[in-house]
C-alpha cells in the first residue's frame, strides 16, 4: 500500500541508495539537501507499482553527468523541476507520477525533490535496481520505452528538449549537451504509462533503500557489525577487506572514470574498475564480480557507502557484492550493461563468482564495445 516519505526518512534513503548506487549516482548528501528543502512543506505520497493506474503519465527525473562535478555545482529546485514542466508542455499532457531512473546516490533523492516541488506522487520503484553510467541502461529500454523526448536543464537557465531515433542516440546527444552545459544537468524523460511502468521498473526500490540504510545505522547504534547487517539484507557477500593504496580517477566525456587498488592482509590486492559505477572487481588475476551485479564499497567500521569520487588513499574499506535484478542477465541486457559493453573481454561474473549463462563477449557488442574500450584505455 501507499506510504509517505518525509524529512525523517531522507537520511536512510540516501544511505541505502548510495549503497545500491555501486559507487555512482552522485553525492547522496547533495541530494539529501535538495529533498529536505522540497519536503519542508510536507511529505510526498509514495505509491506501490500496483497502485499506479494504467493510463498514468510517468517520467524519470535524474541528474546526468559526472558525479564529481555536482560536489561544486549544486543544483537548485528550479533546475530540478524545469525539465518536467518543459516535457509536459512539449508532450501536451500533464505528468501524473514521478519515478527514479536509478537508486543511486543523488538520483534517488532528486526525484523526491521533484515530486515534492510539483505536488506529484512518487513511485516506489526505479529503472535499474542499482545505478549505471549511461542513460539507455534502464530496464524499460528492453521493453521498448523510448528515452526521448528528453528534457535537460542547467543552472544557467538553459532548457533543451531532444527528439532522437533511439535510446542510445539520446545518450550520445544528451551527453554532449551535458558536457557543454557544465558536465551535469537535470533531465526528465522515458515518458511511460502506468502499465509500462509495471512491466519495466524494479518495484520496491525506495523502501528497500530505506530499510538497508536504517539497518546500517541501527547496527552502529547497537554496537554490531553494520556491514554484516547490510550483506544479510542484500542477499550478497563480502568480497574483500583492506586499505585503499591507489586511486586513479579523471572526469572525461562526462563520466568519472578510473580504477582503485585495495590491499588486504598478506599482500593480496583487489582492483576495482569504474565508470561512475564499479564495473569489475578482480583480486590477483581472479575475477570476483562484474557488472551487472552490484559491487559496493563501504567504510570498514561504520558501513557508510563510499562513492567512486569519495575513494581516498588510506581509507579502510570493505567491498561487497550482491545480485542484480535477474532481467539484467538476459542476453539483450548483457549486451547493454555487461563487461563487454565497457570494453572488458570477459563474461559477466555474478556476485557469487559464477559466470552468467547469458553472458556475451565483446565480439557480440557493436558500438558500445568500441566506445567502452576507449573509455577503459583513458582510465588507465
Amino acid at each position: 500500500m501507499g506510504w509517505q516519505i518525509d524529512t525523517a526518512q531522507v537520511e536512510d534513503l540516501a544511505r541505502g541508495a548510495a549503497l545500491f548506487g555501486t559507487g555512482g549516482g552522485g553525492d547522496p548528501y547533495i541530494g539529501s539537501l535538495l529533498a529536505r528543502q522540497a519536503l519542508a512543506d510536507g511529505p510526498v505520497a509514495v505509491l506501490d507499482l500496483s497502485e499506479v493506474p494504467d493510463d498514468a503519465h510517468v517520467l524519470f527525473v535524474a541528474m546526468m553527468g559526472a558525479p564529481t562535478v555536482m560536489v561544486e555545482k549544486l543544483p537548485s529546485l528550479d533546475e530540478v523541476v524545469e525539465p518536467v514542466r518543459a516535457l509536459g508542455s512539449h508532450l501536451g499532457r500533464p505528468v501524473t507520477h514521478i519515478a527514479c531512473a536509478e537508486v543511486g546516490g543523488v538520483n534517488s533523492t532528486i526525484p523526491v525533490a521533484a515530486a515534492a516541488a510539483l505536488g506529484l506522487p512518487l513511485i516506489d520503484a526505479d529503472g535499474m535496481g542499482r545505478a549505471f553510467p549511461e542513460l539507455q541502461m534502464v530496464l524499460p529500454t528492453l521493453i521498448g520505452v523510448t528515452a526521448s523526448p528528453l528534457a535537460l536543464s542547467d543552472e544557467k537557465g538553459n532548457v533543451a528538449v531532444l527528439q532522437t531515433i533511439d535510446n542510445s542516440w539520446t545518450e550520445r546527444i544528451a551527453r554532449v549537451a551535458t558536457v557543454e552545459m557544465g558536465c551535469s544537468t537535470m533531465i526528465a524523460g522515458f515518458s511511460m504509462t502506468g502499465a509500462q511502468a509495471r512491466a519495466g521498473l524494479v518495484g520496491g526500490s525506495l523502501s528497500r533503500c530505506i530499510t538497508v540504510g536504517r539497518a546500517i545505522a541501527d547496527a552502529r547504534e547497537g554496537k554490531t557489525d553494520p556491514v554484516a547487517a547490510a550483506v544479510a539484507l542484500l542477499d550478497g557477500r563480502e568480497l574483500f577487506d583492506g586499505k585503499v593504496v591507489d586511486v586513479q580517477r579523471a572526469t572525461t566525456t562526462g563520466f568519472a572514470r578510473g580504477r582503485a587498488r585495495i590491499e588486504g592482509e598478506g599482500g593480496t590486492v583487489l582492483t576495482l574498475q569504474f565508470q561512475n559505477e564499479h564495473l569489475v572487481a578482480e583480486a590477483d588475476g581472479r575475477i570476483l564480480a562484474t557488472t551487472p551485479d552490484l559491487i559496493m564499497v563501504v567504510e570498514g567500521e561504520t558501513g557508510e557507502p563510499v562513492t567512486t569520487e569519495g575513494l581516498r588513499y588510506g581509507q579502510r574499506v570493505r567491498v561487497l557484492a550482491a545480485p542484480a535484478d535477474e532481467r539484467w542477465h538476459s542476453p539483450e541486457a548483457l549486451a547493454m550493461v555487461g563487461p563487454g559493453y565497457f570494453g572488458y573481454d570477459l563474461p559477466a561474473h555474478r556476485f557469487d563468482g559464477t559466470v552468467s549463462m547469458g553472458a556475451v563477449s565483446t565480439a557480440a557488442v557493436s558500438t558500445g564495445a568500441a566506445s567502452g574500450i576507449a573509455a577503459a584505455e583513458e582510465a588507465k
Side-chain angles (χ1 to χ4, degrees):
M1 294 295 294
W3 47 284
Q4 291 186 322
I5 186 167
D6 56 28
T7 54
Q9 296 163 297
V10 169
E11 185 176 351
D12 291 332
L13 171 62
R15 182 184 299 111
L19 189 66
F20 281 100
T22 63
D27 188 326
Y29 178 68
I30 294 171
S32 296
L33 291 178
L34 274 174
R36 288 177 189 279
Q37 179 187 353
L39 291 169
D41 294 330
V44 163
V46 184
L47 303 181
D48 185 84
L49 269 176
S50 63
E51 299 175 286
V52 181
D54 282 354
D55 61 352
H57 183 196
V58 182
L59 282 187
F60 284 156
V61 181
M63 180 277 291
M64 185 175 193
T68 45
V69 174
M70 281 195 69
V71 175
E72 297 183 5
K73 192 164 83 85
L74 301 178
S76 66
L77 277 178
D78 285 342
E79 190 181 342
V80 170
V81 301
E82 193 57 41
V84 181
R85 290 174 174 152
L87 207 53
S89 175
H90 178 81
L91 292 169
R93 63 184 192 276
V95 178
T96 61
H97 296 74
I98 299 296
C100 298
E102 61 183 8
V103 279
V106 72
N107 277 338
S108 64
T109 46
I110 279 179
V112 176
L118 293 163
L120 296 175
L122 185 67
I123 302 176
D124 186 6
D126 83 298
M128 306 180 194
R130 49 157 299 156
F132 280 120
E134 296 184 8
L135 184 145
Q136 77 277 13
M137 295 173 174
V138 292
L139 290 167
T141 294
L142 298 177
I143 63 168
V145 176
T146 58
S148 76
L150 183 91
L152 306 88
S153 70
D154 66 14
E155 79 287 356
K156 296 176 284 292
N158 294 311
V159 180
V161 177
L162 302 178
Q163 187 79 47
T164 62
I165 58 173
D166 61 34
N167 291 0
S168 293
W169 270 105
T170 310
E171 156 66 27
R172 292 174 66 177
I173 297 172
R175 188 70 55 181
V176 172
T178 293
V179 170
E180 289 297 318
M181 294 165 85
C183 279
S184 73
T185 55
M186 294 298 123
I187 64 169
F190 284 90
S191 173
M192 66 189 97
T193 66
Q196 288 173 314
R198 282 195 297 278
L201 301 187
V202 179
S205 301
L206 298 183
S207 52
R208 193 175 305 121
C209 286
I210 292 172
T211 298
V212 174
R214 185 70 250 161
I216 292 172
D218 286 345
R220 280 204 306 265
E221 292 168 9
K223 309 299 183 186
T224 59
D225 185 1
V227 181
V231 169
L233 287 170
L234 293 166
D235 293 324
R237 67 172 178 140
E238 184 172 339
L239 297 180
F240 205 78
D241 183 348
K243 183 177 78 171
V244 178
V245 295
D246 183 52
V247 181
Q248 299 176 37
R249 179 176 46 231
T251 300
T252 56
T253 61
F255 296 107
R257 294 189 171 104
R259 64 176 62 183
R261 294 174 64 247
I262 303 165
E263 188 174 294
E265 291 185 7
T268 302
V269 174
L270 176 81
T271 300
L272 295 172
Q273 306 274 2
F274 57 83
Q275 179 178 315
N276 289 9
E277 290 78 33
H278 295 297
L279 301 175
V280 179
E282 177 184 359
D284 294 340
R286 185 167 62 94
I287 302 297
L288 301 183
T290 72
T291 177
D293 275 4
L294 286 66
I295 302 167
M296 300 158 284
V297 178
V298 298
E299 292 181 356
E301 299 259 337
T302 67
E304 284 295 315
V306 180
T307 60
T308 53
E309 70 264 27
L311 282 169
R312 297 289 184 272
Y313 175 83
Q315 285 174 323
R316 298 291 310 189
V317 298
R318 291 155 78 176
V319 182
L320 319 178
D325 186 286
E326 192 59 29
R327 286 171 285 183
W328 284 123
H329 286 280
S330 71
E332 297 80 10
L334 286 171
M336 182 165 60
V337 300
Y341 180 89
F342 297 99
Y344 302 101
D345 196 8
L346 52 92
H349 285 63
R350 291 179 181 253
F351 75 102
D352 59 3
T354 60
V355 175
S356 177
M357 296 308 293
V360 293
S361 69
T362 53
V365 186
S366 55
T367 58
S371 61
I373 291 170
E377 288 303 314
E378 286 181 16
K380 288 182 179 178

